[in-house]
Amino acid sequence: MIATIDTLHDMEASLKSAVIDLLYRLADDAIIIGHRGSEWTGFAPILEEDIAFSSMAQDDMGHAQTFYQMLFELGEPDPDTNVFARKLDQWTCAGMVSISSQRDWAMSLVRKYFYDVAASIRLDALAEGALVPLAQLARKLRSEKKYHLMHGTMWIPRLGTGTRESHQLMQSAVDTLYPHALGMFEPTSADLLLEQAGVCPREDELRKRWQAEVENVLCGATLKVDADMSPVFGGRAGKHPKDLMALLDDMQLVYNLDPHAKW
Amino acid sequence: MADTQWPVYEVFHQQARGEPHIHVGSVHATDAEMALVMAKEQYCRRQACVNLWVVPAAAILASEYQDGDMFEHTTDKSYRESWGYKTPKTIQKSDEETPT
């Protein structure tokens, strides 16, 4: 039986730094997928989807904010500084959320779904975890993820089996994204400590759960996964696709012009 | 011009359990499940909601506006209205105490 950790201030230094590492990964993934989602505002293929996709982007940014807030409580910089002032190699988001979709709708949908399954699996695990404030937060955030998953599992089979063209676009998105999706579970030096403290299972374990769920839905959508694909790692260690630099230039533009601007 | 839009689903939303489902608008969707997913973000992103219905607009049989005169009450039917009756004092008192 693993003892619960009732407050953020009950952790010894090594565990605290592992939790900080975990929170940065959660926050960075969420804000960047949210930013990628917001790129579709006004451009999604149908009006209803435009609103739904934009709304979910706001949800993801909201989740990111709660993780950055928790980091702030752990002594890290405030959320605005973290989002607007960090340099490329200080970010820990997975490559999958960083790469530009180039206005490829199939790719954006598949990417969002891959992310949502991973985020849900993490939140489910954290909700059962030993770190009480994080477990409480995870339970709260899970409710919005429920809708995001519903959205993905609605679209994936419809487009996978829709027309020859939609099937090809979806299959190509899966082929492109899958190795990057596996990269969401890049092992880190925090894994073992987080597992031992009962805060969060190892990335490897989360990846198995993710693959079981995703491959089931893809199979139902007649979409294939090449079993030989190997993961693309690097994001957790600050090595990012060049697309992230363009995103940060865009997202941090105003702050870089005037760090003290009020807006 | 031919209608290139997907079928219309009418959306009804319920603010609290036990309340009636109220028509709030419509969405375009290829099927009911898609309509429900779309309706959630179109109509519940600001207001409270505990339950949603989507109904194919094509399933609704509506009266004709040209028949609107059938809704007119041509003779005095105030006896159908609650204000047409005197309420006993005890009920008035209880009405006043009931929060609305």
Side-chain angles (χ1 to χ4, degrees):
Chain A
M1 180 74 196
I2 288 166
T4 58
I5 308 157
D6 292 330
T7 80
L8 292 175
H9 308 291
D10 286 346
M11 295 183 284
E12 43 96 11
S14 58
L15 180 59
K16 184 178 160 186
S17 97
V19 167
I20 288 174
D21 183 273
L22 170 68
L23 285 169
Y24 268 113
R25 283 182 269 135
L26 290 165
D28 290 354
D29 278 0
I31 192 87
I32 300 300
I33 191 90
H35 190 93
R36 287 291 181 216
S38 77
E39 291 173 342
W40 281 101
T41 303
F43 297 96
I46 53 171
L47 175 65
E48 285 86 342
E49 183 59 23
D50 196 301
I51 292 169
F53 216 68
S54 301
S55 253
M56 292 192 297
Q58 291 175 331
D59 292 344
D60 286 330
M61 289 182 194
H63 291 198
Q65 193 180 16
T66 62
F67 295 130
Y68 286 124
Q69 188 58 38
M70 195 170 273
L71 282 163
F72 182 56
E73 287 162 34
L74 283 162
E76 293 295 297
D78 66 89
D80 275 3
T81 306
N82 257 332
V83 172
F84 297 122
R86 260 186 310 158
K87 305 291 177 215
L88 183 68
D89 62 359
Q90 295 175 298
W91 286 77
T92 61
C93 42
M96 190 190 75
V97 297
S98 302
I99 49 183
S100 168
S101 68
Q102 307 287 350
R103 294 240 181 280
D104 179 333
W105 178 243
M107 191 161 143
S108 294
L109 263 185
V110 172
R111 186 228 311 261
K112 175 77 178 125
Y113 171 68
F114 283 175
Y115 168 75
D116 286 333
V117 176
S120 300
I121 284 170
R122 277 184 216 283
L123 290 176
D124 283 346
L126 292 171
E128 305 300 319
L131 183 55
V132 174
L134 187 53
Q136 285 168 340
L137 177 60
R139 281 197 282 276
K140 196 172 118 186
L141 300 181
R142 271 197 299 195
S143 62
E144 282 182 344
K145 275 295 147 205
K146 183 182 272 189
Y147 173 75
H148 297 196
L149 280 182
M150 199 184 283
H151 174 271
T153 49
M154 183 277 287
W155 274 119
I156 303 281
R158 279 166 179 73
L159 293 175
T161 63
T163 63
R164 182 191 292 265
E165 186 189 11
S166 76
H167 176 83
Q168 279 169 354
L169 289 168
M170 293 294 277
Q171 184 62 58
S172 147
V174 170
D175 293 343
T176 306
L177 289 168
Y178 205 85
H180 296 283
L182 294 175
M184 289 190 287
F185 306 97
E186 178 173 348
T188 78
S189 56
D191 280 11
L192 190 61
L193 215 51
L194 291 170
E195 185 194 38
Q196 282 169 348
V199 174
C200 184
R202 281 181 297 114
E203 292 297 306
D204 198 38
E205 165 60 27
L206 295 172
R207 177 187 52 78
K208 283 180 201 153
R209 296 180 200 176
W210 181 87
Q211 279 185 294
E213 188 169 333
V214 160
E215 285 174 17
N216 187 34
V217 167
L218 292 182
C219 180
T222 70
L223 297 166
K224 291 186 183 60
V225 174
D226 178 0
D228 296 333
M229 281 193 270
S230 52
V232 177
F233 290 144
R236 304 308 187 197
K239 295 185 183 65
H240 301 289
K242 62 174 177 14
D243 295 354
L244 183 61
M245 193 62 240
L247 185 153
L248 293 181
D249 284 345
D250 193 21
M251 192 168 76
Q252 299 176 335
L253 178 72
V254 175
Y255 184 93
N256 286 336
L257 288 172
D258 179 4
H260 304 292
K262 294 265 179 274
W263 42 300
Chain B
M1 200 175 88
D3 187 359
T4 56
Q5 297 274 22
W6 288 336
V8 172
Y9 285 77
E10 299 296 342
V11 181
F12 299 77
H13 107 299
Q14 188 188 37
Q15 284 198 327
R17 274 183 101 112
E19 295 290 312
H21 284 71
I22 295 168
H23 182 238
V24 283
S26 58
V27 292
H28 289 99
T30 58
D31 57 86
E33 190 193 341
M34 184 189 291
L36 198 57
V37 169
M38 292 304 159
K40 188 264 172 189
E41 282 304 337
Q42 316 302 309
Y43 297 107
C44 307
R45 62 199 293 271
R46 293 195 185 92
Q47 52 190 336
C49 181
V50 295
N51 196 248
L52 266 183
W53 286 349
V54 289
V55 177
I60 294 171
L61 179 62
S63 62
E64 300 289 343
Y65 280 105
Q66 67 192 33
D67 296 333
D69 51 357
M70 73 181 170
F71 298 114
E72 284 171 21
H73 299 157
T74 50
T75 60
D76 177 17
K77 294 195 182 59
S78 59
Y79 55 83
R80 289 179 179 171
E81 311 285 345
S82 57
W83 52 260
Y85 294 85
K86 280 202 168 132
T87 319
K89 278 193 174 148
T90 48
I91 295 179
Q92 272 181 2
K93 188 162 177 287
S94 122
D95 279 353
E96 282 158 15
E97 283 166 1
T98 309
T100 48

